[in-house]
Amino acid sequence: MHLAHRPLVITALCSAVALCAALTGCAPQAEEKAPDRAAGATASCAPGELATQASGKLAVGTDKPAYAPWFSDDDPANGKGFESAVAYAVAKELGYDREAVVWQHTPFNSAFAPGAKKFDFDINQVSISEERKKAVAFSSGYYDVRQAVVALKSSKAARAKSVADLKDVKLGAQVGTTSLDFITDLVKPGEKPAVYQRNDFAKSALKTGQVDAIVVDLPTAFYITGAEVPEAEVVGQFADSPGDPEQFGLVLDKESTLTSCVSGAVDALRKDGTLAALEKEWLSDAVDAPVLK
């Protein structure tokens, strides 16, 4: 008896399933969403669980050569030098141990150029500026910096006491840097400044007398004169620009969801004295120089 009615039961069930499927197809469906990459989007800052380029890893970009005193022995991974130490301190604050940090070669100008990035953050003496913020995001500043003039001791630039004294000397700087901006916007020399792809080239030009002086950040200036070009000296430093002081910041993709987490880590390291301690350890030789007004 039951067997005789089985086809009717199956038919009814199939009809019900078909109707359910049809109704479901018309209803809004929950979709698996990709990680939110919208600018300013928030992300979980749970230790070691950030939405990084590679799960469980933290990709940190910097240029090569990696110059002292920011790095040591051209090896960002050894933890020596101010920026190497800062990178590992930030990583630790974010919940990533030393083995989880992966260094990536990123040319200086590429770090803040428009376009998607292959690093989670870049650390390479990149000054925070409104112009650069149009293409990338920045963390809170991790170092307050001033620009300085380095000249051969035998050069007329070595006798400069003011910005005006630099107008008639041949100056040089690395392309894309605030050092070059200080020359063009503040000094406004009579002769067009020499522009170099890397600081190495600028230092060579200084050493061979192709330029009278170069402009670099103050710690680099003292390292150049103390270890690389001993026949040169730090002539002086420029005063802070009006408004906020120039600061180096960690560079992130414009749409990175990690920006608030990375900024929080930098802020914590500043608050607990870690940044000051690392600055004292690695940049203590960058003593004051006369201010060129």
Side-chain angles (χ1 to χ4, degrees):
M1 182 98 176
H2 293 166
L3 292 177
H5 293 285
R6 187 173 181 182
L8 295 176
V9 174
I10 293 175
T11 301
L13 287 173
C14 290
S15 299
V17 170
L19 178 61
C20 181
L23 291 174
T24 302
C26 297
Q29 297 299 298
E31 297 179 358
E32 185 177 347
K33 295 183 178 180
D36 189 355
R37 297 283 291 174
T42 57
S44 170
C45 297
E49 298 181 5
L50 278 66
T52 53
Q53 296 282 338
S55 180
K57 300 291 184 180
L58 189 67
V60 182
T62 200
D63 204 351
K64 186 175 180 62
Y67 300 107
W70 311 104
F71 299 93
S72 179
D73 299 326
D74 192 19
D75 180 12
N78 63 17
K80 299 177 180 179
F82 179 70
E83 289 193 329
S84 179
V86 167
Y88 282 115
V90 170
K92 183 178 179 180
E93 193 71 26
L94 293 172
Y96 295 86
D97 59 24
R98 189 176 180 124
E99 289 68 30
V101 175
V102 180
W103 289 91
Q104 293 187 343
H105 172 213
T106 306
F108 180 80
N109 284 338
S110 299
F112 50 86
K117 307 303 178 188
K118 294 183 179 180
F119 52 72
D120 294 308
F121 68 75
D122 179 272
I123 184 166
N124 191 30
Q125 307 112 66
V126 181
S127 296
I128 301 169
S129 73
E130 292 305 314
E131 183 63 27
R132 289 172 178 171
K133 283 182 180 179
K134 295 176 183 178
V136 295
F138 282 97
S139 72
S140 302
Y142 62 87
Y143 179 69
D144 298 348
V145 64
R146 280 189 171 186
Q147 299 297 317
V149 178
V150 177
L152 293 179
K153 297 173 183 177
S154 58
S155 167
K156 59 182 179 180
R159 299 187 291 275
K161 302 296 182 185
S162 67
V163 173
D165 293 339
L166 296 171
K167 291 185 179 296
D168 296 325
V169 302
K170 180 67 174 179
L171 298 170
Q174 183 178 350
V175 65
T177 60
T178 50
S179 302
L180 183 58
D181 292 340
F182 267 80
I183 295 175
T184 57
D185 299 339
L186 180 64
V187 179
K188 299 178 181 178
E191 186 176 356
K192 187 176 180 180
V195 181
Y196 302 97
Q197 284 296 320
R198 300 206 316 250
N199 261 340
D200 270 353
F201 301 151
K203 288 180 287 188
S204 295
L206 175 68
K207 195 169 185 177
T208 57
Q210 297 176 47
V211 293
D212 297 311
I214 61 174
V215 177
V216 293
D217 59 78
L218 190 59
T220 298
F222 277 99
Y223 185 81
I224 289 173
T225 57
E228 297 180 311
V229 190
E231 57 270 37
E233 64 183 5
V234 179
V235 178
Q237 60 181 308
F238 294 111
D240 286 332
S241 302
D244 295 332
E246 181 182 355
Q247 290 185 316
F248 291 157
L250 305 177
V251 183
L252 297 95
D253 187 287
K254 179 68 174 175
E255 298 183 349
S256 176
T257 60
L258 307 183
T259 303
S260 61
C261 300
V262 174
S263 283
V266 173
D267 292 342
L269 295 173
R270 184 178 292 278
K271 185 176 181 179
D272 69 12
T274 298
L275 290 181
L278 293 177
E279 184 176 334
K280 182 177 181 180
E281 179 179 359
W282 296 107
L283 305 179
S284 59
D285 289 339
V287 297
D288 287 338
V291 177
L292 301 170
K293 297 182 179 180

